[in-house]
Every structure is written in structure tokens, then in C-alpha cells.
Amino acid sequence: EPEVTQTPSHQVTQMGQEVILRCVPISNHLYFYWYRQILGQKVEFLVSFYNNEISEKSEIFDDQFSVERPDGSNFTLKIRSTKLEDSAMYFCASGGGSSYGYTFGSGTRLTVV
Amino acid sequence: RKEVEQDPGPFNVPEGATVAFNCTYSNSASQSFFWYRQDCRKEPKLLMSVYSSGNEDGRFTAQLNRASQYISLLIRDSKLSDSATYLCVVVDNFNKFYFGSGTKLNVKP
């Protein structure tokens, strides 16, 4: 069964540092998403990406965040100048369209210290 | 008002019980509906889509009521392995997914 792959599985970084979270979506999917889940809280939408551009972003997705699909396979989330409150599980998801649901990667646990 | 609302639970039920979860959504233009299951510290996994006519997959039955803007999930003959958090997901007409906060289910022997 096709999978969405995320790396690293766990990242520890110092406050103020930049991190890049990587995702390899399922190859024939067109829609890509980043979500985050702070421990014990609900899954929150960050950003959606379609046709090589951001289609929508939440108010959480401020100027410290950016996404890229640099080479047609990887889909990255960059967080500049991380804050303690950025500590969360970050999930990448990809899908072929809203009727089919989306497949999530296993997540990257980001810990900002 | 939240886009998607669920009873957080927990629902504590014995093995073999039937349990039902409901979820309401606020956007009447919502297009697609799903139930996802999330185990502790794992990613959400698609359990089933929800169709207007209702659909069944083994012990799981999902229903959609567009007029009242709610969806439901019924689990029959609960197993210990059903213990998880069940997330209601609603997709709007811009392909944006909205997650409920999840309903926790504990199935006990």
C-alpha cells in the first residue's frame, strides 16, 4: 500500500533555530497538506498546497513558516526561528481529491528546547 | 462556533458492546465526510468515508444527515483493538479538511 513518508521521525532543536521537516507524498497525488498536533490537543490545519502553490493557510501559518516542493517529489515545511510553542507532532498528508480521503505520514515529533 | 464538534468522551464500554459517536459540522457547503482513527501518538488513519445513503464496513456503520449537519459512526460488537480516538473530518468546497477534536473510546475486557 502506498505510503506518505516523513523524516525525521523526531527532531530536537534549540529555540530560535530553523528546522526543515520533510515529506514524500504518494506519487500520483495532487494535494498536499501540513497539519500539527500539540500533545493532547486536536489536529490543526496549517497549509494546503496544490499545483505548486499554497492554496490555503491557517492563521497559525505565519511568516515563520514556509513550504516548498523543490523537486516534484519532496514536500517540505520550514520553520524559521522556532519557538517553544512550536513543539508538536507535524503530519504531512497527501491525496488525490476530496472524495478519497487523505493519507497521513507517520509524523515528525518536533521538540523545541 | 467550531467547524466540527465532537463529544470528547471518553466512552468506556465492555467488549461486545455497541457504541455510537456523533459529530456536527457548521458549513452547509461541506462536500465530503470521513471518520479517521488515531491511536496514541500515531498519525490519523482513514477508517471510512461517509455517504449520504449511509455505508457499512463490517462492524462499522457511518451515516450522514445533511439537513441536520451531523454524521455518525456506529461500532457493533466492540473489540479491545477498537480502543482509539475517532476523528470526524469534514471537507469543504476548497478541499480543506476540518478535524473534530476526537472522541476517545476505551473498550474494556
Side-chain angles (χ1 to χ4, degrees):
Chain A
E1 188 174 328
E3 288 185 342
V4 174
T5 306
Q6 287 188 246
T7 54
S9 56
H10 191 188
Q11 172 99 42
V12 181
T13 189
Q14 287 200 324
M15 193 167 57
Q17 296 297 304
E18 174 182 286
V19 294
I20 298 177
L21 310 183
R22 301 181 194 279
C23 171
V24 179
I26 293 172
S27 61
N28 61 347
H29 282 180
L30 302 174
Y31 297 87
F32 312 107
Y33 295 78
W34 282 101
Y35 290 85
R36 78 172 186 191
Q37 188 173 32
I38 295 169
L39 189 63
Q41 298 186 24
K42 66 182 288 185
V43 177
E44 298 175 293
F45 168 77
L46 289 178
V47 65
S48 57
F49 194 86
Y50 172 71
N51 202 25
N52 288 321
E53 60 182 22
I54 291 174
S55 48
E56 191 163 359
K57 56 185 181 181
S58 72
E59 56 190 29
I60 302 169
F61 194 88
D62 60 22
D63 290 344
Q64 69 164 145
F65 292 92
S66 62
V67 289
E68 270 192 330
R69 195 152 185 257
D71 56 12
S73 60
N74 292 289
F75 180 49
T76 62
L77 174 69
K78 183 190 289 186
I79 311 175
R80 287 181 281 275
S81 190
T82 48
K83 307 183 194 109
L84 294 176
E85 55 265 35
D86 294 328
S87 296
M89 196 75 161
Y90 287 81
F91 293 110
C92 172
S94 74
S98 64
S99 301
Y100 304 102
Y102 286 74
T103 302
F104 283 79
S106 55
T108 294
R109 181 169 299 283
L110 177 66
T111 303
V112 182
V113 296
Chain B
R1 184 182 172 187
K2 291 181 184 176
E3 295 284 346
V4 180
E5 297 208 50
Q6 290 183 254
D7 181 343
F11 284 52
N12 298 308
V13 303
E15 266 187 295
T18 295
V19 61
F21 308 134
N22 289 325
C23 164
T24 58
Y25 61 94
S26 61
N27 184 356
S28 59
S30 298
Q31 292 192 326
S32 304
F33 309 87
F34 303 93
W35 283 101
Y36 276 74
R37 169 194 170 129
Q38 187 175 28
D39 293 289
C40 189
R41 294 178 180 257
K42 300 282 189 181
E43 74 274 24
K45 290 192 175 174
L46 179 63
L47 181 65
M48 58 197 302
S49 304
V50 188
Y51 303 118
S52 298
S53 54
N55 49 300
E56 191 173 305
D57 182 3
R59 298 181 292 109
F60 298 84
T61 301
Q63 292 200 308
L64 165 64
N65 185 320
R66 283 192 184 270
S68 302
Q69 295 180 205
Y70 80 82
I71 68 174
S72 64
L73 177 69
L74 182 79
I75 306 176
R76 288 182 297 277
D77 188 23
S78 303
K79 312 287 185 198
L80 294 177
S81 56
D82 294 333
S83 297
T85 296
Y86 290 83
L87 305 173
C88 170
V89 178
V90 175
V91 186
D92 70 11
N93 47 339
F94 297 101
N95 272 315
K96 182 174 169 184
F97 275 47
Y98 293 91
F99 282 80
S101 53
T103 298
K104 190 170 174 57
L105 172 65
N106 296 317
V107 181
K108 301 193 181 295

